[in-house]
Amino acid sequence: MTAVDAKVRLAHAERFGSEAKTYSAPARVNLIGEHTDYTGGLVMPMAIGFCTVAGISRRNDGKAVFYSASYKEAREFDIAFLGKDPRGGWSDYPAGVLWSLKRVGIDPRGFNMSIDGDVPLGAGLSSSASLEVAVAVAILSQMDLKLPLEELAPLCRAAENEYVGAKCGIMDQFIVAGGVEHRAMMLDCRSLKYELLPLPSNVRVVIANSMVKHSVATGDYGNRRDEVEAGQDVLRRERPGIELLRDATIEDLEACRGKMSAESFRRCRHIITENRRVLEAREALLAGDMKRFGELMAAAHASMRDDFAASCAEVDALVEIAGRQPGCFGARITGGGFGGCTVNVVKADDAEAFVEQVKLEYERAVGIKADCFVSSPSDGALALAAKGGVA
Ligand code: GLA
């Protein structure tokens, strides 16, 4: 039992006077394939060992009561009358999941749920998807229901897109629900087909938090999406056969350059080149060529910074410092951008020294203490539930 799991059980017993069954969902980091998911592109994330835990017990009066053990706040909903009525704040995520489940005819009789987690907030590690998926798996499990990954992830995404009002893609919910220990996942965000890929045992994934806060719910992410979608609309209109940006080549984009804004052109160029980098990164992983994998990460970072304009000075400094360290194959910004974390692939033997040196130099350069975590791919919520417990 993890510390978070124990906290949730205790909070639940104190708050509701009953024993909770607990379900856990991890966080995620994206190795490569950024801002490609909402135009049907390719991503390569992995689940990581932070977690959100949802503890659930029955009630039979048609009410859903969510208790956040970290905010020490409860929110109550009448399940039969639950409409799309976001109140702002943490409870929109679990209420949105309930709303999304109800929309496909999944109608629980009533429950108390306590929630807590240790996913750093605003760090770009998918605390929201982790929360949504933990809540969904808890409600479904209580009803003895199981949904396949290809249905569960879109339901959770719909909660975030339509109830919470954040325009995220499918990557986070998919990997948080479907991750597998020791494996990264290459996901085709159009077909939802995926491939699990082993990481060499002699490398570590180091996540470094710049401590600059980021949120998918704020304007920057949505602005980028609007710029991308405007470019995609032009391509769809001008080039037969293009449905999503995923279908476009650089030549298609060049041919339409005069018909879209300079911003849309650069945002789309990032996505088209990034899809190609993901495919090459898969090849490199399968060949065990971490040097090539690292070069692709560096190119992906430059593209996020220059074409997508979604990095910031602190994160650029963190990537630059990491890239100079012994044993570092590659470093890049990860997640939605505008702050948050970098992901670094480092030789296992050098990982400890890497963390020390990066922290030291980052603080010296920008005056902020970075948090660093050495991670390996962990199980997603479905694998954890199938194993009958939490990580
Ligand atoms: C956020 C979103 C994802 C994805 C990434 C960028 O994490 O939730 O859907 O778009 O940004 O790759």
PDB file of all heavy atoms in Angstrom, residues 46 84 119 349:
ATOM      1  N   MET A  46       4.957   7.711 -21.538  1.00  0.00           N
ATOM      2  CA  MET A  46       4.997   6.554 -20.629  1.00  0.00           C
ATOM      3  C   MET A  46       4.353   6.976 -19.306  1.00  0.00           C
ATOM      4  O   MET A  46       4.347   8.168 -18.971  1.00  0.00           O
ATOM      5  CB  MET A  46       6.429   6.064 -20.409  1.00  0.00           C
ATOM      6  CG  MET A  46       7.331   7.074 -19.734  1.00  0.00           C
ATOM      7  SD  MET A  46       9.041   6.490 -19.614  1.00  0.00           S
ATOM      8  CE  MET A  46       9.433   7.013 -17.939  1.00  0.00           C
ATOM      9  N   LYS A  84     -24.593  19.632 -17.159  1.00  0.00           N
ATOM     10  CA  LYS A  84     -23.261  20.205 -17.393  1.00  0.00           C
ATOM     11  C   LYS A  84     -23.209  21.550 -16.700  1.00  0.00           C
ATOM     12  O   LYS A  84     -23.686  22.546 -17.228  1.00  0.00           O
ATOM     13  CB  LYS A  84     -23.012  20.348 -18.894  1.00  0.00           C
ATOM     14  CG  LYS A  84     -21.557  20.569 -19.187  1.00  0.00           C
ATOM     15  CD  LYS A  84     -21.177  20.172 -20.590  1.00  0.00           C
ATOM     16  CE  LYS A  84     -21.429  21.316 -21.543  1.00  0.00           C
ATOM     17  NZ  LYS A  84     -21.131  20.946 -22.925  1.00  0.00           N
ATOM     18  N   VAL A 119       0.727  13.798  -7.534  1.00  0.00           N
ATOM     19  CA  VAL A 119       1.204  14.304  -8.827  1.00  0.00           C
ATOM     20  C   VAL A 119       1.447  15.806  -8.680  1.00  0.00           C
ATOM     21  O   VAL A 119       0.525  16.522  -8.289  1.00  0.00           O
ATOM     22  CB  VAL A 119       0.162  14.067  -9.949  1.00  0.00           C
ATOM     23  CG1 VAL A 119       0.752  14.463 -11.298  1.00  0.00           C
ATOM     24  CG2 VAL A 119      -0.329  12.637  -9.959  1.00  0.00           C
ATOM     25  N   ASP A 349      24.069   4.835 -15.120  1.00  0.00           N
ATOM     26  CA  ASP A 349      25.195   5.064 -14.196  1.00  0.00           C
ATOM     27  C   ASP A 349      25.429   6.538 -13.904  1.00  0.00           C
ATOM     28  O   ASP A 349      26.048   6.889 -12.902  1.00  0.00           O
ATOM     29  CB  ASP A 349      26.494   4.478 -14.777  1.00  0.00           C
ATOM     30  CG  ASP A 349      26.444   2.971 -14.803  1.00  0.00           C
ATOM     31  OD1 ASP A 349      25.579   2.411 -14.102  1.00  0.00           O
ATOM     32  OD2 ASP A 349      27.252   2.364 -15.530  1.00  0.00           O
TER      33      ASP A 349
END
